[in-house]
Amino acid sequence: MNAESTARHRARRGEGERLRGEILAAAQALLIETADTSAVSIRAIADRVGVTPPSIYRHFADKDALMMAVCSQVFAQLDEAMEKAAAGAEDPFDELCRKGHAYVAFGMAHPEHYRLVFMIKHTLTKPRTLDPSELPGTEAFQHLQDTVRRAFDVRTPGVEVPDEFATTCALWTALHGITSARISLPDFPWPPLDDQLALFVAPWRGLLEPHPVATSKPHGKSAKSKR
Amino acid sequence: MNAESTARHRARRGEGERLRGEILAAAQALLIETADTSAVSIRAIADRVGVTPPSIYRHFADKDALMMAVCSQVFAQLDEAMEKAAAGAEDPFDELCRKGHAYVAFGMAHPEHYRLVFMIKHTLTKPRTLDPSELPGTEAFQHLQDTVRRAFDVRTPGVEVPDEFATTCALWTALHGITSARISLPDFPWPPLDDQLALFVAPWRGLLEPHPVATSKPHGKSAKSKR
DNA sequence: TGTACATCAGTGAACGCGCGTTCACTGATGTAC
DNA sequence: TGTACATCAGTGAACGCGCGTTCACTGATGTAC
């Protein structure tokens, strides 16, 4: 009778996947609109799709599986955003800066998704999470590590290089700190985001390029450190 | 009849505060034992104390107020731990290192308390949190900023100093990143904590002491950077 | 010293709520003959 | 082309649960006379 009933058509035989997609989309929308993980219940999602709660179980084993699927979907977008941001980079260091910025921006644009993946305890003792590498966001981490490797590669040869993985962890942890702090305490009088990012990222240039060799574009302020 | 009934005595006229203390202690214990915020319900706390749920409302307006009190109590301990760790410091930079270490150690020792205060959204639109400075952990932050100020004070005079508050934020954010990441993803193959802390804190010495003036104790590795 | 009374810490029972999940089912869609 | 049947996407009703919170109360403790 109403718009709802005309909008929803029962899926054809082979089209079982259609509802699956609609469920994921509805969960995403609710997560964004309510900005409250606890508001995204099986019932609320079903309501949004225009379907009854049990029909969700035809497409997802349980709520955890659904939420995992939601996260995977969003973190594919994170990886995409970071790769896109890195596309026009001049050098690996610039790439790190751009990726860092994209990371924080993404987290702040999807705070509840971010919370779901990185701010809630994930333990391997839960049988659900079989493989730590199956955690959403793994591609993005891998690609970040690739950039770190590339940054190491352009360094002056012969100079000792810190552990690649540990460096990526440190970098990621810094980005995570900025992102999660702002998500949790949005009313704290944070300094401007760009300033804070700069404070974190600047030392990395020093770490990666101790000898000012490939620095093609001094960004104005570098003169100061020369006295 | 049982140990419970002999342990609990009804408070005397003026001793209403006694149950209040027991409730807080029980909440703390539950938070630590279960490591699960959602397991700490009014009912569970009452059970633990050996009292019925309604009697909690004689001492706390509602659950939020109770949890806030729990956090305040623990974060007084955080401040204490950081101040204690800083006590034997040689110089302000050493003090920053020690406080940083104490901060992360505290967070990892009280993951659920940490989550409650720093990993859950606190918005001022909630009438509950009237004043951001009333958020637990404020003293610790203030004291950290004091140390930053002291560190700035011992710098070579005449050298431009970054904003004190912004610097404290950056430092705190780094510590928060390390702490919250390890709490949320305990099974991730993190590099050793000390290595990661060193990676973060080292650049700050450079920031704070660009001229190697007061560096009394080169820690062996400094020779490397001199070639 | 003894009794009537006020205080108030803690109780017992119940409220309404929303949750995840289950079960047997319905009925439109597609297929075989 | 027409009919009987199998499939399976989605339904309706209900389950048991634990939650925060309320209400009128009980009965030990202390006080006034």
Side-chain angles (χ1 to χ4, degrees):
Chain A
M1 293 285 181
N2 55 14
E4 201 79 84
S5 64
T6 55
R8 270 244 103 237
H9 291 281
R10 180 203 172 104
R12 299 281 179 84
R13 250 333 155 53
E15 296 176 352
E17 293 300 291
R18 212 188 57 186
L19 179 56
R20 189 191 147 90
E22 288 180 43
I23 290 169
L24 283 175
Q28 297 276 21
L30 278 171
L31 214 42
I32 289 166
E33 285 169 27
T34 65
D36 178 2
T37 309
S38 73
V40 183
S41 62
I42 290 280
R43 290 167 134 93
I45 295 167
D47 243 45
R48 169 64 68 101
V49 176
V51 113
T52 58
S55 54
I56 288 184
Y57 289 86
R58 198 166 288 285
H59 299 279
F60 299 94
D62 54 24
K63 202 195 177 188
D64 274 18
L66 201 178
M67 294 318 254
M68 261 304 186
V70 169
C71 290
S72 295
Q73 190 171 285
V74 176
F75 276 81
Q77 289 172 36
L78 166 62
D79 183 45
E80 220 173 279
M82 287 176 76
E83 291 305 304
K84 196 175 163 188
E90 299 168 358
D91 57 59
F93 177 75
D94 185 33
E95 205 178 312
L96 284 178
C97 289
R98 285 163 180 253
K99 281 195 173 183
H101 198 103
Y103 181 95
V104 178
F106 184 90
M108 293 182 69
H110 306 85
E112 291 307 316
H113 302 89
Y114 193 88
R115 177 187 308 287
L116 211 55
V117 176
F118 287 139
M119 297 169 72
I120 277 175
K121 190 166 60 185
H122 292 280
T123 315
L124 294 187
T125 54
K126 278 186 187 172
R128 186 95 41 205
T129 329
L130 295 163
D131 184 355
S133 72
E134 281 185 7
L135 205 67
T138 307
E139 300 96 339
F141 187 90
Q142 271 307 333
H143 288 152
L144 188 62
Q145 186 163 335
D146 292 343
T147 305
V148 169
R149 184 181 306 116
R150 252 173 277 135
F152 284 171
D153 286 347
V154 301
R155 277 183 55 144
T156 315
V159 174
E160 195 186 328
V161 145
D163 180 60
E164 195 180 291
F165 175 73
T167 305
T168 312
C169 283
L171 198 48
W172 181 78
T173 306
L175 296 173
H176 173 66
I178 295 176
T179 310
S180 64
R182 281 166 192 254
I183 288 176
S184 292
L185 308 168
D187 297 307
F188 188 85
W190 298 109
L193 176 58
D194 284 331
D195 294 3
Q196 206 174 0
L197 267 171
L199 260 177
F200 274 113
V201 174
W204 291 97
R205 170 152 328 256
L207 185 72
L208 296 177
E209 300 179 7
H211 311 279
V213 174
T215 321
S216 54
K217 291 188 179 181
H219 291 298
K221 284 199 171 183
S222 58
K224 190 194 295 172
S225 61
K226 290 178 189 169
R227 291 212 211 178
Chain B
M1 291 286 179
N2 53 13
E4 200 80 83
S5 63
T6 54
R8 270 244 103 235
H9 290 280
R10 180 201 173 104
R12 299 280 179 85
R13 256 322 161 57
E15 295 177 353
E17 294 300 292
R18 210 189 56 184
L19 179 55
R20 191 192 145 89
E22 289 181 41
I23 290 168
L24 283 175
Q28 298 275 22
L30 278 172
L31 214 43
I32 289 165
E33 285 170 26
T34 65
D36 179 2
T37 309
S38 73
V40 183
S41 62
I42 290 281
R43 291 166 133 92
I45 294 166
D47 244 44
R48 170 63 68 102
V49 175
V51 114
T52 58
S55 54
I56 288 185
Y57 289 86
R58 199 165 287 285
H59 300 279
F60 299 94
D62 53 24
K63 202 196 176 185
D64 274 18
L66 202 177
M67 293 319 254
M68 261 306 187
V70 168
C71 290
S72 296
Q73 190 171 285
V74 176
F75 276 80
Q77 290 173 36
L78 166 62
D79 184 43
E80 220 172 277
M82 287 175 76
E83 292 305 305
K84 197 175 164 189
E90 299 168 359
D91 57 60
F93 176 76
D94 185 32
E95 203 177 315
L96 284 178
C97 289
R98 285 161 180 255
K99 282 194 173 183
H101 198 102
Y103 182 95
V104 178
F106 184 90
M108 292 182 68
H110 306 85
E112 291 307 317
H113 301 91
Y114 193 89
R115 179 187 306 287
L116 212 55
V117 176
F118 286 140
M119 297 168 73
I120 277 175
K121 190 167 58 184
H122 291 279
T123 314
L124 294 188
T125 53
K126 277 186 188 172
R128 187 95 40 204
T129 329
L130 294 162
D131 183 356
S133 73
E134 282 185 6
L135 206 67
T138 307
E139 300 96 339
F141 187 90
Q142 273 307 334
H143 288 153
L144 187 62
Q145 185 162 336
D146 293 344
T147 305
V148 169
R149 185 182 306 117
R150 253 173 276 134
F152 283 171
D153 286 348
V154 300
R155 276 184 56 146
T156 316
V159 174
E160 194 187 327
V161 145
D163 180 60
E164 194 180 294
F165 174 73
T167 306
T168 312
C169 283
L171 198 47
W172 181 78
T173 305
L175 296 173
H176 172 67
I178 295 175
T179 309
S180 63
R182 281 166 193 255
I183 288 175
S184 292
L185 307 168
D187 296 307
F188 189 85
W190 299 111
L193 176 59
D194 284 331
D195 294 4
Q196 207 173 1
L197 268 171
L199 260 178
F200 275 113
V201 174
W204 290 99
R205 175 163 308 265
L207 185 73
L208 296 176
E209 299 178 6
H211 310 280
V213 175
T215 321
S216 54
K217 293 187 178 179
H219 290 299
K221 284 201 173 184
S222 58
K224 191 195 295 171
S225 61
K226 292 176 187 171
R227 289 214 210 181

